[in-house]
Amino acid sequence: MLSTAKVASLLVFALPSVIAHGGVLSWANAGNWYWGLNPYDTIVGQVSTLRPWYSYNPIQNATDPTVACNNNGTNNNALGGTQQTVSVAAGSAVTAYWNQVWPHNTGPVLTYLAQCPGSTCNGVDSTTLKWFKIQQAGLVSGTQYNGTWAAGVMITQNSSWTTTIPATVPSGSYLIRWETIALHSMPAQFYPECAQITITGGGSLAPTAAQLVTFPGGYSNTDPGLNIDIYGQTAMIWTNYTIPGPPLYGSSGSTSSVSATSTHSTTTTPTTVASSTTHSTTSTTSTSSTSAASGTGTPVAEYGQCGGTGWTGGTTCVSPYVCTVSNAYYSQCLPA
C-alpha cells in the first residue's frame, strides 16, 4: 500500500507544471477520505462526490455563475461521469484538503450549505439554491498586510480545513461548499468547491431569510472584504477585516468586522488507502470549555463566536449552550 506521503507526492507530480492555483482535491468525514476529480482529465468515467471543476484557475468575478461550485459545477451524471452522495451525520466534522502546498496565505476560509429541494441533489443547478454559511474565519491576528490569515492557518494544517456540521441543521440532501478567497491580487480570487452530501440525524433549526444567499448574488466585487488592497498604506495598520457573505447560521446579528477569527483546531490525518475513492483517517479534536457564567455582554446564539484574542463581543451563550475554546483565537457557543 502507498503511504499517505507517497500518495500526496504522486498527486503533486501528476499535476501540470504550470499550476499556480488549485482547489479542494479530497475531503474526509467519520474516518473516510473521498477523492475529488482530476480537473484536467475527461469527465467520462470519473467517480466523485465533488461537483466537477475543469481547471485550477481562480474565479475573479463575484457575479460569474461558476462562483457557486467552480467551473463547471454541473452534476457529474449529466457530463458522463458518476456523481456520488455521501451520508454525513449532523454534529460531525468534515475536513477539506486543498492541493499542497496551497499557494495563497492571505484571505478568509468559509463553509456553506445549501439544501436541495428533493430527495437528492442529482441534477440540481447550484446557482438556484439558497446557501447559508456555517463557518467563517478571516484575519486571525496582526494587520491586513502582514498578519496571519485563515488561509495561512489552513496551509499550516496540511492545507486542510475542518468544519463541524451544526447538529441543529435539518436532515436532508445538501451541497456543502468550501471556499477560500485569495486577497493577494485585485480583484480577489475565489476558489469554491462543492460536494453532495446527505445530512442525517439533524435538528429543526432552519436558516433565517437573512442568512440565505444565492451564488452568484451572495458577494459583490465592491464588498469591503473583497475590494481590498492588502499592500496599501491602510492595510499596513488595519487589524480589522469584514468577512464577505451573509450572517452565520445560528447567529442573531450581521457579519461583523473582527480582528481575530479562526476555527476548530482539528487534525485529520489520512492513514491508509482503502479504495480509489475512500481512505481511512483518524481524527482528533482538542477543545476545552470556558465558564459561561463568568462571561460578559449580550448572550451569543448557538454556534456564534464568544471569545478569542481580540474578540470584543459577548462572551456568554444563550442557555443551554457553553462558550467552548477552540484555540487562542476562537471560542464558539456549543451544546454542553
Side-chain angles (χ1 to χ4, degrees):
M1 273 186 191
L2 294 175
S3 67
T4 300
K6 182 64 173 178
V7 170
S9 66
L10 288 175
L11 275 173
V12 172
F13 285 114
L15 301 178
S17 59
V18 297
I19 286 179
H21 307 290
V24 174
L25 300 184
S26 61
W27 63 281
N29 170 256
N32 296 311
W33 189 13
Y34 304 98
W35 285 104
L37 298 168
N38 185 339
Y40 282 99
D41 283 352
T42 175
I43 202 70
V44 176
Q46 291 203 53
V47 178
S48 179
T49 62
L50 284 175
R51 285 293 183 96
W53 51 290
Y54 290 165
S55 80
Y56 290 93
N57 295 326
I59 300 164
Q60 293 185 277
N61 185 349
T63 64
D64 193 310
T66 59
V67 80
C69 288
N70 208 338
N71 184 11
N72 136 318
T74 304
N75 183 264
N76 200 1
N77 293 335
L79 301 175
T82 301
Q83 185 73 58
Q84 293 181 322
T85 300
V86 170
S87 292
V88 174
S92 67
V94 176
T95 301
Y97 292 87
W98 276 260
N99 49 285
Q100 301 179 5
V101 173
W102 184 250
H104 307 308
N105 64 355
T106 52
V109 180
L110 314 95
T111 308
Y112 289 83
L113 289 173
Q115 187 166 14
C116 295
S119 60
T120 178
C121 289
N122 283 350
V124 175
D125 183 349
S126 60
T127 65
T128 66
L129 296 177
K130 296 291 187 178
W131 298 87
F132 58 100
K133 190 193 302 178
I134 61 171
Q135 189 186 50
Q136 65 180 8
L139 184 61
V140 175
S141 62
T143 67
Q144 293 179 355
Y145 171 69
N146 64 359
T148 298
W149 289 85
V153 174
M154 180 258 283
I155 292 170
T156 66
Q157 297 174 161
N158 195 31
S159 295
S160 71
W161 194 259
T162 298
T163 303
T164 298
I165 303 296
T168 52
V169 169
S171 301
S173 298
Y174 288 82
L175 288 179
I176 184 170
R177 178 181 182 271
W178 298 285
E179 180 181 39
T180 184
I181 303 174
L183 301 176
H184 66 283
S185 67
M186 296 181 70
Q189 298 182 356
F190 304 96
Y191 296 95
E193 244 76 68
C194 300
Q196 292 192 185
I197 63 174
T198 299
I199 295 179
T200 61
S204 59
L205 181 62
T208 66
Q211 294 163 0
L212 293 169
V213 296
T214 58
F215 285 114
Y219 302 150
S220 167
N221 287 338
T222 59
D223 287 349
L226 301 176
N227 186 27
I228 176 175
D229 178 8
I230 64 168
Y231 305 108
Q233 288 187 338
T234 301
M236 302 282 184
I237 58 174
W238 274 26
T239 58
N240 291 337
Y241 172 72
T242 302
I243 300 175
L248 278 172
Y249 166 79
S251 67
S252 58
S254 60
T255 304
S256 59
S257 176
V258 298
S259 60
T261 310
S262 188
T263 181
H264 285 284
S265 179
T266 304
T267 303
T268 305
T269 306
T271 54
T272 59
V273 178
S275 69
S276 61
T277 59
T278 304
H279 300 261
S280 176
T281 63
T282 300
S283 300
T284 59
T285 305
S286 177
T287 61
S288 60
S289 297
T290 62
S291 173
S294 62
T296 59
T298 302
V300 179
E302 184 183 11
Y303 298 112
Q305 184 177 359
C306 57
T309 303
W311 175 249
T312 58
T315 57
T316 63
C317 299
V318 296
S319 179
Y321 305 106
V322 176
C323 190
T324 302
V325 176
S326 296
N327 54 47
Y329 306 111
Y330 191 74
S331 296
Q332 186 177 29
C333 290
L334 297 173

